[in-house]
Amino acid sequence: MVKTRRFLLLAAIFGLVLVPVLLSQSLVNAAIQMLIASLFACAFSLLCGQGGMLSFGHAAYFGVGAFATVHAMNAFNGAGLLPTPFLPLVGAAMGLVVGLLAGWFATKRSGVYFAMITLALAELLYALAPHLKGWFGGEAGVSSMRMPAFGLSFGSNTEVYYLTLIWVLVSLGLLYLFTLTPLGRLTLGLRENARRLSFLGYNVHRVSVLVFAISAMFSGIAGSLQALNMEAANYVIFDLQGSAEVLLNSFIGGVTIFLGPVLGAALMTFFGYLVSDMTHSWLLYKGLLFVVVMLFMPRGIAGLVQSVAASGRRQGFTRLAPSMALYAVASLLLTAGTVYLVELLQRFFSQDYRSLAVLNGKGWPPIALFGAQWDPTAVLTWALPVLALIAGVAVLRLAHSRWIFVVENGECVQAPLAFDSVAPKGGQP
């Protein structure tokens, strides 16, 4: 098992190295965003997934790292003590300092109060940033240029990609090593039972501040890489959307599993890159995906993969293959029905279509969708997505029943989806 994981990890790293060779420059730029989002999500999960401290304002430390790097780029011109490849150290240092200060206040409370304090600190920074032009450049922001260093110009996406890849891999390695240290073990203790740690003699507040600061430090590195890629930073980087996005990516991937946030950030970054040009409803799809994951896959996509792999090893993938195929068919039907219905409604209620209907003067004109014309007054137009959804739910129930039947006749293991609402009576795994 360990050898398999190492092989998959090395294969993934090898695939990342080949990205500039195999993909176009626009996709390489998307891959840079994916790497940065992955590191940011992993830094966030150290605090939220391992430490049990849900932060609603982590974009603040990401943004602080970005602005510190842009100022360092202008001050050192990529030479002297801080050549361009070492600039993320500035973001790390600034993230650590700000994380220590903010963490000292925020970790005075726990639970929802901690979350509200982190949100308030981030919103305070977002509100102040446009007025502090010396630090944040006002509404125009601060810009700079990547300077050559070590024989590299850093003028192409390929060089920036490899610089980002090295920093992300090193940072993820350090984050993993941190989980093996005594402080990393105490981080899990904060999540499980902080009061017991206090009874054992640990200073819970000090440990919480250190974990918060380390998480902010790696968030600062991610922000620094973003500044290097964009060669600019603007106060909108502190917006709540950045904090919400890292939260969604982490939970979709699996916030309690080390590489889960990396998986979630990578998938959602490419999802946004591919889908945002195809539909105006892509944010709605991201929200629906998050709801589905939270309802049926509480441990995220990485948790689903772990569950399926464990079931396959115990029961045999051959026995589970029919159920997996049914799950795949159900997913396709549900996705097709949802996309069809959302796109149909989006076009039907759009202002352009309403204006066209008024100008037409002969009722509702057909709606162009998926290369065909659909009459909005025809029953079939609306029945198709509804039938697809009904069929998807039926196949999903069948798949879940077959899965439960297989595991009940073998060793008891957990079902891949938390789909208890449709499980047959007595069908708990």
Side-chain angles (χ1 to χ4, degrees):
M1 184 63 187
V2 175
K3 290 183 178 179
T4 304
R5 289 180 178 176
R6 288 177 179 173
F7 173 77
L8 292 175
L9 183 61
L10 291 175
I13 294 174
F14 183 69
L16 289 172
V17 171
L18 292 180
V19 163
V21 180
L22 301 175
L23 302 181
S24 63
Q25 286 297 302
S26 61
L27 287 176
V28 170
N29 189 42
I32 294 173
Q33 296 297 326
M34 177 203 71
L35 291 172
I36 295 171
S38 299
L39 175 58
F40 188 26
C42 210
F44 172 81
S45 73
L46 171 66
L47 183 69
C48 181
Q50 299 179 43
M53 292 178 277
L54 177 60
S55 170
F56 283 148
H58 238 50
Y61 317 106
F62 182 88
V64 164
F67 274 102
T69 301
V70 173
H71 284 301
M73 291 168 72
N74 289 329
F76 291 93
N77 288 320
L81 295 176
L82 277 175
T84 298
F86 295 154
L87 283 170
L89 292 175
V90 179
M94 190 55 68
L96 180 65
V97 171
V98 176
L100 282 171
L101 294 174
W104 191 87
F105 288 103
T107 54
K108 287 285 187 180
R109 294 291 181 267
S110 60
V112 67
Y113 304 106
F114 169 83
M116 291 299 104
I117 292 173
T118 58
L119 175 63
L121 291 174
E123 287 298 295
L124 179 65
L125 191 56
Y126 176 70
L128 287 176
H131 306 287
L132 301 175
K133 294 185 178 180
W135 292 2
F136 303 108
E139 294 187 356
V142 183
S143 60
S144 183
M145 289 184 65
R146 295 187 296 269
M147 300 304 291
F150 304 129
L152 300 172
S153 66
F154 294 104
S156 66
N157 283 343
T158 301
E159 291 178 342
V160 176
Y161 173 82
Y162 283 120
L163 176 63
T164 305
L165 178 62
I166 291 172
W167 269 101
V168 169
L169 290 179
V170 170
S171 299
L172 292 180
L174 292 175
L175 279 168
Y176 179 74
L177 292 176
F178 172 79
T179 64
L180 305 179
T181 63
L183 182 57
R185 300 297 183 188
L186 288 176
T187 306
L188 297 177
L190 288 175
R191 182 187 68 188
E192 300 299 329
N193 197 330
R195 181 170 295 181
R196 179 170 293 180
L197 285 184
S198 180
F199 287 158
L200 291 173
Y202 292 103
N203 189 325
V204 172
H205 183 237
R206 184 181 300 171
V207 173
S208 301
V209 172
L210 288 175
V211 173
F212 194 104
I214 293 172
S215 174
M217 181 181 72
F218 284 100
S219 299
I221 294 176
S224 182
L225 294 172
Q226 178 77 340
L228 278 172
N229 182 39
M230 305 297 292
E231 298 180 294
N234 190 282
Y235 80 97
V236 295
I237 204 171
F238 297 117
D239 192 8
L240 182 60
Q241 182 180 351
S243 300
E245 192 164 341
V246 70
L247 189 149
L248 294 179
N249 292 343
S250 301
F251 276 88
I252 287 174
V255 72
T256 58
I257 301 171
F258 180 74
L259 288 179
V262 175
L263 178 63
L267 290 176
M268 297 312 295
T269 300
F270 273 108
F271 176 83
Y273 179 81
L274 294 175
V275 180
S276 60
D277 291 334
M278 300 168 62
T279 174
H280 298 295
S281 306
W282 67 281
L283 285 176
L284 174 62
Y285 293 127
K286 288 183 72 172
L288 288 175
L289 180 60
F290 179 72
V291 172
V292 169
V293 169
M294 289 298 97
L295 281 176
F296 303 112
M297 295 177 279
R299 296 178 64 225
I301 297 174
L304 174 67
V305 173
Q306 282 188 343
S307 177
V308 171
S311 300
R313 286 194 302 273
R314 295 181 184 183
Q315 307 295 334
F317 284 101
T318 305
R319 294 184 63 197
L320 295 174
S323 299
M324 293 182 184
L326 288 174
Y327 274 124
V329 172
S331 300
L332 288 174
L333 286 171
L334 291 172
T335 303
T338 303
V339 170
Y340 183 101
L341 194 59
V342 168
E343 294 301 318
L344 197 62
L345 289 172
Q346 187 271 325
R347 284 163 174 74
F348 183 75
F349 287 107
S350 68
Q351 188 62 39
D352 293 341
Y353 180 77
R354 294 286 173 157
S355 301
L356 182 64
V358 172
L359 292 174
N360 187 28
K362 298 179 181 179
W364 302 105
I367 298 174
L369 184 63
F370 302 132
Q373 300 291 326
W374 302 90
D375 183 2
T377 61
V379 176
L380 182 64
T381 301
W382 302 99
L384 273 178
V386 174
L387 290 174
L389 291 173
I390 293 174
V393 172
V395 177
L396 187 60
R397 290 173 63 91
L398 178 62
H400 193 70
S401 300
R402 285 188 62 87
W403 186 283
I404 295 298
F405 175 79
V406 172
V407 299
E408 280 187 345
N409 285 276
E411 188 177 353
C412 184
V413 294
Q414 187 179 0
L417 300 180
F419 203 59
D420 298 336
S421 59
V422 298
K425 292 183 179 180
Q428 294 291 339

